[in-house]
Amino acid sequence: MRILIVEDNLVLADKIAAALRQTDHAVDLVHDGEDALRLVLQETFDLLILDLSLPGLDGIEILKTVRARKINLPVMILTARGNLDERVAGLDAGADDYMVKPFELSELEARARALLRRNIGQRNPTITVGKLTFNSVDRSVTIDGQPVSLTPRERGVLEILLLNVSQVISKEKIALHLFGFDDEASVKSIELYISRLRKKIASGDVEVRTIRGLGYMIDE
């Protein structure tokens, strides 16, 4: 999924981004509050990890604006402001989760996964269709219990389709969730990933169908 990290500590931001990219997520970084709000209003993200003390615009103001615009975006506050009143203020402003610095990256990753699943109504970390099972925790894909070797991009496309079973997903929408600003993104590359994915999961009783002119879908 595509995640925006808004954090003015460059070292910390890079560490978080590196950890999330290791689990296939597309990650964008900004370090200024005004830039962050502009991106959230213009682009599509699946999760916002938001520091509160930011140059340009405070994180709480960003959060209030996002909620006032009714943007369906999970928000995890990440801050050194750890007292009870500040935690309550952040949650009341519309945050979905709140982590206080310092923290363990493994916990942040687990909380991020939980927020992403919750946002699309998927409580279980595993998704099974036919003989194929996808595990969002360790990013493994198996068919009849046997591992399937997929590239990070192929896994990302499969996850997007599995999270939207029986729904048609356009190439453009897949690209929005799959690529960050620094990635080379194109609709043609989505077609290539789909073609490779079909061959690799063919034995799993799972069909990636092409809905001409609209996109792709997986049926249960």
Side-chain angles (χ1 to χ4, degrees):
M1 301 289 102
R2 190 178 180 193
I3 299 172
L4 177 63
I5 298 172
V6 186
E7 169 61 65
D8 64 344
N9 182 322
L10 275 59
V11 174
L12 177 60
D14 286 342
K15 285 183 178 179
I16 298 170
L20 293 172
R21 285 171 181 146
Q22 284 289 320
T23 52
D24 302 344
H25 296 298
V27 180
D28 293 309
L29 291 174
V30 290
H31 311 294
D32 176 271
E34 292 180 354
D35 289 340
L37 183 59
R38 175 178 54 80
L39 282 177
V40 169
L41 297 180
Q42 294 178 354
E43 298 286 335
T44 298
F45 297 98
D46 299 292
L47 174 64
L48 172 62
I49 298 178
L50 179 66
D51 189 17
L52 293 185
S53 300
L54 295 165
L57 189 65
D58 184 82
I60 289 292
E61 293 306 312
I62 295 172
L63 180 55
K64 287 180 177 178
T65 302
V66 168
R67 295 311 182 218
R69 299 289 185 93
K70 301 188 184 303
I71 298 172
N72 183 26
L73 175 64
V75 178
M76 178 192 297
I77 288 178
L78 193 65
T79 181
R81 301 181 191 176
N83 68 50
L84 178 60
D85 289 343
E86 288 168 326
R87 293 200 304 274
V88 169
L91 294 169
D92 282 347
D96 298 279
D97 202 354
Y98 199 114
M99 289 196 70
V100 178
K101 303 172 186 177
F103 57 88
E104 295 293 334
L105 281 174
S106 58
E107 182 181 1
L108 182 143
E109 292 175 61
R111 287 173 178 254
R113 288 193 297 268
L115 286 178
L116 290 167
R117 289 198 305 271
R118 186 190 310 166
N119 193 48
I120 47 86
Q122 176 68 34
R123 299 285 181 173
N124 196 322
T126 62
I127 305 171
T128 299
V129 177
K131 299 177 183 178
L132 182 146
T133 297
F134 176 84
N135 188 315
S136 65
V137 176
D138 61 14
R139 313 296 296 165
S140 64
V141 179
T142 59
I143 292 176
D144 271 342
Q146 299 302 309
V148 179
S149 179
L150 300 179
T151 67
R153 292 284 189 234
E154 292 163 358
R155 260 196 314 271
V157 171
L158 177 62
E159 181 177 25
I160 292 166
L161 294 173
L162 289 174
L163 289 173
N164 296 276
V165 166
S166 300
Q167 298 180 46
V168 180
I169 308 297
S170 69
K171 298 176 203 175
E172 292 77 13
K173 185 172 181 180
I174 292 173
L176 281 174
H177 291 276
L178 194 65
F179 300 114
F181 290 124
D182 296 332
D183 298 318
E184 292 185 14
S186 73
V187 171
K188 285 290 185 184
S189 63
I190 301 299
E191 295 173 0
L192 178 61
Y193 299 140
I194 291 287
S195 176
R196 291 175 177 171
L197 187 58
R198 281 181 170 136
K199 294 175 183 176
K200 293 184 178 182
I201 66 173
S203 63
D205 291 342
V206 179
E207 180 186 4
V208 180
R209 295 172 53 201
T210 298
I211 310 301
R212 191 171 298 279
L214 296 176
Y216 305 100
M217 69 181 296
I218 284 178
D219 286 323
E220 286 192 273

